[in-house]
Amino acid sequence: MNGTLNKVILIGHLGDEVKMHYFDAQSCIGRFPLATNEVYINKSTGEKITSTEWHNIVVRNKAAELCEKYLSKGDKIYIEGRIKSRQWTAEDGTTKYTTEIQVTEFTFLNTKKDSDLSKAPTTNPPSSKDVDFDSLE
């Protein structure tokens, strides 16, 4: 294989609401933290340990609007994407760095809004199949 691959697959829970940023009438991004957990047993103490990793998630345009509409803090989502690192200069002159997951595919696994509507007829939650990602770039 001559090429390289930058692909991330995550299943986790939203750590906060989706924060939207609008640039013009046709483009926006949504950002939210995603928590993934690893649970293991400490062999020396027998204690159950949960380790949480936080990921900075970025979705664009129509996908961002779907996430804002349907997701709330605590909801579970499946995400595919790629890792993107960036840096910028803060107002105080310091250089800041961040690593983000740029979403290319997603599926809502459960949402609080679903449980609120549990008495209503069931519908499939939105997913990236509802979005044409090629038109988002």
Side-chain angles (χ1 to χ4, degrees), residues 6 8 31 56 58 60 81-88 95-102:
N6 180 354
V8 176
R31 298 177 185 275
N56 297 313
V58 177
R60 298 185 179 282
R82 51 187 175 266
I83 297 173
K84 178 78 174 181
S85 297
R86 60 186 180 88
Q87 70 180 45
W88 69 97
T95 302
K96 303 288 185 176
Y97 300 89
T98 190
T99 300
E100 301 169 327
I101 306 302
Q102 306 250 330

Side-chain angles (χ1 to χ4, degrees), residues 20 22 28 59-70:
M20 296 294 291
Y22 294 90
C28 61
V59 288
R60 298 185 179 282
N61 301 323
K62 181 68 173 171
E65 292 170 353
L66 283 171
C67 288
E68 179 189 35
K69 181 176 180 180
Y70 290 100

Side-chain angles (χ1 to χ4, degrees), residues 16-27:
D16 200 356
E17 303 300 320
V18 178
K19 306 286 192 255
M20 296 294 291
H21 304 278
Y22 294 90
F23 301 106
D24 56 41
Q26 297 178 2
S27 62

Side-chain angles (χ1 to χ4, degrees), residues 12-137:
H13 295 272
L14 271 72
D16 200 356
E17 303 300 320
V18 178
K19 306 286 192 255
M20 296 294 291
H21 304 278
Y22 294 90
F23 301 106
D24 56 41
Q26 297 178 2
S27 62
C28 61
I29 62 171
R31 298 177 185 275
F32 57 90
L34 186 79
T36 56
N37 298 314
E38 176 184 5
V39 179
Y40 60 93
I41 305 296
N42 182 320
K43 290 184 180 179
S44 41
T45 65
E47 180 184 7
K48 182 177 171 181
I49 308 290
T50 300
S51 173
T52 301
E53 187 71 33
W54 288 96
H55 312 275
N56 297 313
I57 307 299
V58 177
V59 288
R60 298 185 179 282
N61 301 323
K62 181 68 173 171
E65 292 170 353
L66 283 171
C67 288
E68 179 189 35
K69 181 176 180 180
Y70 290 100
L71 292 176
S72 299
K73 181 177 179 179
D75 290 346
K76 193 172 188 179
I77 186 172
Y78 168 93
I79 288 176
E80 290 184 27
R82 51 187 175 266
I83 297 173
K84 178 78 174 181
S85 297
R86 60 186 180 88
Q87 70 180 45
W88 69 97
T89 303
E91 290 181 9
D92 63 3
T94 59
T95 302
K96 303 288 185 176
Y97 300 89
T98 190
T99 300
E100 301 169 327
I101 306 302
Q102 306 250 330
V103 175
T104 57
E105 302 277 333
F106 65 88
T107 300
F108 300 161
L109 298 178
N110 69 350
T111 64
K112 289 181 183 172
K113 292 174 185 168
D114 285 343
S115 61
D116 292 344
L117 300 173
S118 61
K119 297 188 172 83
T122 34
T123 59
N124 291 332
S127 75
S128 57
K129 292 170 183 56
D130 301 325
V131 179
D132 179 10
F133 279 92
D134 292 333
S135 68
L136 300 180
E137 297 298 324

